[in-house]
């Protein structure tokens, strides 16, 4: 039972606020010394070296760098301004434009924090000034900002590809349809709310002299640069021209070219973007090293066999395992980050899924959709904190919590749909 005790101790320490990487690494060290002694960690340096030499994981810092550079090019600001003018005259138009921009930012940057903060600073004041319901405005921004978790190129999909041993390009392809369906549901929900309660999402009065054709032209000018980058990055992967790691390098170069085109390039910008990339990448890999130590001790002490025996005895076999797994990941997402879940929980569950004959590509997309929800679920959803940090004083935390609830339910609906109708999303259950 040492492995199970380790897991419970880690959860309590995380709830008390201990740093994630040091929690998993420290607990593994203490319990490993108790169970076996120092010799258990003799091969730990080789495990760390294999992580550092993993070419798949090289895509993570490059995609993070691409996103941070694009965040500094005023890309989000120009997209929101153009889309706001294009859709603002419709009931719910500002919210719809926020969803569309969130999808474009997700496919071009993939950085959730940057997207939520940018739209919180630019879009939220405009929506509130035009009489939007605070809950709807906050929920729309948080939900659209988290699209970067499922819409490729996604850091989650890269991590899951490495953990589950799946081609990242296949994961990117499989995630396209669920991402599009989720965006469509968001837009449909906003249209329904604006029809049911017009005062909560009123149309924005026109305040410029541009004709409709000019507005469409400006919107296209704002959309084309990020769209070109999306085509270069994802197109090179889907056509087999480049691996995800190579396409991440293309994306980083493309982001710098866009910075030059937007006249935002400077050596100071390069330095700040590189520094922020190193910070985020160091956090991810520190968690990975701690998770590797935890998994090693967990497996050595027999925790994986105990969990496997218990899971294989669940009623319903494959379906019982899948339903319980999705519930566990959903509940854990309320309290811990997607990186910890990917590196700690998924490697424990993956062998059981393979034993039950589950299609691992389908399993990975289910997990990715589930993990996206963790960014919205109170009390520790990161998007909620990002938005609260940049929202005006009249927006209360309860407004944000209540605003994201319908979008959480929509994400769970898509998750259930993928679980029940995998063929509709272009996947197979076996």
């Amino acid at each position: 039972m040492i492995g199970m005790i380790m897991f419970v101790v880690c959860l309590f320490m995380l709830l008390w606020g201990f740093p994630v990487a040091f929690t998993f690494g420290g607990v593994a060290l203490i319990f490993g010394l108790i169970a076996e002694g120092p010799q258990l960690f003799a091969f730990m340096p080789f495990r760390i070296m294999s992580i550092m030499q993993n070419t798949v994981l090289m895509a993570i810092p490059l995609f993070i760098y691409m996103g941070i550079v694009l965040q500094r090019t005023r890309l989000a600001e120009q997209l929101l301004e153009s889309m706001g003018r294009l859709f603002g005259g419709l009931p719910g138009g500002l919210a719809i434009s926020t969803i569309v921009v969130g999808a474009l930012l997700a496919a071009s940057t993939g950085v959730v924090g940057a997207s939520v903060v940018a739209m919180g600073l630019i879009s939220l004041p405009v929506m509130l000034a035009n009489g939007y319901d605070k809950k709807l405005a906050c929920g729309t921004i948080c939900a659209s900002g988290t699209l970067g978790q499922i819409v490729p190129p996604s850091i989650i999909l890269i991590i899951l590809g490495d953990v589950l041993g799946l081609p990242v390009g296949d994961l990117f392809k499989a995630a396209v349809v669920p991402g599009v369906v989720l965006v469509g549901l968001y837009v449909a929900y906003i249209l329904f709310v604006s029809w049911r309660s017009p005062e909560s999402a009123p149309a924005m009065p026109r305040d410029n002299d541009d004709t409709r054709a000019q507005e469409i032209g400006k919107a296209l000018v704002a959309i084309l640069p990020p769209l070109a980058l999306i085509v270069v990055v994802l197109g090179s992967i889907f056509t087999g021209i480049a691996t995800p790691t190579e396409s991440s390098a293309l994306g980083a170069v493309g982001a710098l070219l866009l910075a030059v085109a937007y006249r935002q390039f400077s050596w100071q910008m390069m330095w700040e973007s590189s520094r922020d990339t190193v910070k985020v990448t160091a956090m991810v890999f520190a968690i990975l090293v701690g998770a590797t130590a935890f998994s090693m001790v967990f497996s050595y002490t027999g925790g994986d066999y105990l969990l496997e025996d218990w899971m294989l005895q669940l009623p319903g076999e494959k379906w019982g395992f899948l339903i319980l797994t999705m519930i566990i990941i959903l509940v854990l997402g309320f309290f811990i980050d997607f990186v910890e879940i990917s590196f700690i929980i998924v490697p424990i569950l993956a062998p059981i899924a393979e034993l039950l004959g589950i299609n691992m590509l389908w399993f990975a997309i289910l997990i990715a959709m589930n993990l996206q929800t963790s960014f919205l679920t109170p009390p520790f959803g990161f998007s909620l904190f990002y938005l609260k940090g940049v929202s005006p004083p009249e927006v209360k935390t309860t407004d944000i919590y209540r605003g994201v609830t319908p979008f959480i339910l929509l994400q769970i609906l898509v998750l259930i749909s993928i679980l029940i109708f995998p063929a509709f999303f272009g996947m197979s259950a076996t």
Side-chain angles (χ1 to χ4, degrees):
M1 294 296 294
I2 288 179
M4 298 304 172
I5 297 171
M6 283 173 57
F7 188 74
V8 173
V9 170
C10 282
L11 284 181
F12 275 112
M13 291 182 70
L14 290 174
L15 290 175
W16 286 335
F18 283 89
V20 174
F22 302 118
T23 295
F24 284 112
V27 169
L29 179 62
I30 293 170
F31 280 88
L33 291 173
I34 293 172
E36 177 67 18
Q39 61 269 27
L40 177 61
F41 298 94
F43 284 95
M44 192 63 198
F46 298 98
R47 288 174 175 257
I48 295 174
M49 184 58 67
S50 68
I51 293 171
M52 297 299 105
Q53 294 176 339
N54 191 323
T55 56
V56 174
L57 295 178
M58 286 172 58
I60 292 177
L62 289 168
F63 276 129
I64 292 172
Y65 180 75
M66 180 182 82
I68 291 174
V69 169
L70 288 176
Q71 187 256 334
R72 297 176 183 275
T73 61
R74 296 180 66 248
L75 175 71
E77 183 176 339
Q78 295 197 26
L79 280 171
L80 281 167
E81 288 175 355
S82 300
M83 289 297 175
R85 286 194 295 267
L86 190 62
F87 293 110
L90 303 172
L94 286 174
I96 292 173
S97 66
T98 302
I99 296 294
V100 173
V101 170
L104 288 171
L105 290 177
S108 55
T109 68
V111 180
V112 171
S115 299
V116 174
V117 169
M119 290 188 288
L121 288 170
I122 302 164
S123 184
L124 183 58
V126 176
M127 284 198 277
L128 295 179
N130 282 275
Y132 269 64
D133 179 71
K134 287 187 289 187
K135 298 186 292 296
L136 177 63
C138 293
T140 300
I141 290 171
C142 287
S144 60
T146 60
L147 288 170
Q149 295 298 96
I150 190 65
V151 175
S154 163
I155 302 300
I156 275 187
L157 296 176
I158 297 172
I159 293 174
L160 288 176
D162 178 66
V163 170
L164 298 175
L166 297 171
V168 176
D170 291 348
L171 282 173
F172 282 1
K173 290 179 184 177
V176 170
V177 175
V180 171
V181 170
L182 191 60
V183 171
L185 278 179
Y186 286 172
V187 173
Y189 168 72
I190 291 168
L191 289 173
F192 173 77
V193 170
S194 58
W195 169 76
R196 183 77 179 269
S197 178
E199 69 279 1
S200 63
M204 183 178 70
R206 292 173 60 92
D207 58 354
N208 58 56
D209 298 326
D210 290 342
T211 64
R212 193 63 177 167
Q214 289 174 321
E215 288 178 346
I216 294 173
K218 289 182 178 180
L220 288 174
V221 169
I223 290 172
L224 285 176
L227 199 60
L229 187 63
I230 294 167
V231 170
V232 169
V233 173
L234 296 183
S236 62
I237 298 172
F238 293 167
T239 57
I241 297 174
T243 66
T245 303
E246 292 165 344
S247 70
S248 65
L250 286 174
V253 173
L256 290 174
L257 293 176
L258 285 183
V260 173
Y262 282 112
R263 299 183 181 179
Q264 299 294 318
F265 179 85
S266 67
W267 293 112
Q268 180 69 17
M269 185 273 292
M270 284 273 289
W271 161 251
E272 291 175 354
S273 299
S274 301
R275 181 193 60 200
D276 291 346
T277 301
V278 169
K279 286 181 180 178
V280 178
T281 305
M283 179 270 292
V284 172
F285 278 83
I287 293 173
L288 178 53
V289 171
T292 300
F294 182 91
S295 299
M296 183 178 70
V297 177
F298 184 86
S299 298
Y300 179 83
T301 56
D304 54 345
Y305 291 111
L306 183 66
L307 185 66
E308 182 179 304
D309 289 341
W310 180 65
M311 286 283 197
L312 290 175
Q313 293 174 11
L314 288 171
E317 296 184 351
K318 178 177 77 172
W319 293 106
F321 167 77
L322 283 170
I323 292 169
L324 181 63
T325 298
M326 292 301 111
I327 292 173
I328 289 173
I329 293 175
L330 182 65
V331 172
L332 287 175
F334 280 73
F335 305 103
I336 59 178
D337 189 20
F338 75 93
V339 180
E340 297 94 86
I341 295 175
S342 299
F343 286 141
I344 297 294
I345 308 300
V346 175
I348 296 172
L349 298 173
I352 305 172
E354 287 184 319
L355 281 174
L356 291 169
I358 295 171
N359 185 316
M360 297 306 288
L361 186 66
W362 177 51
F363 188 57
I365 297 300
L366 286 170
I367 294 172
M369 181 60 70
N370 204 331
L371 289 177
Q372 180 178 341
T373 310
S374 69
F375 269 81
L376 296 180
T377 46
F380 300 123
F382 281 88
S383 291
L384 314 179
F385 295 140
Y386 293 143
L387 183 60
K388 180 58 181 172
V390 297
S391 59
E394 65 266 23
V395 175
K396 298 179 174 60
T397 304
T398 52
D399 294 326
I400 300 176
Y401 282 4
R402 293 170 65 188
V404 298
T405 302
F407 293 96
I408 293 173
L409 295 176
L410 289 175
Q411 289 184 351
I412 294 173
L413 177 62
V414 174
L415 176 63
I416 294 172
S417 300
I418 299 172
L419 187 63
I420 299 174
F421 307 110
F424 176 80
F425 296 88
M427 288 174 278
S428 171
T430 57

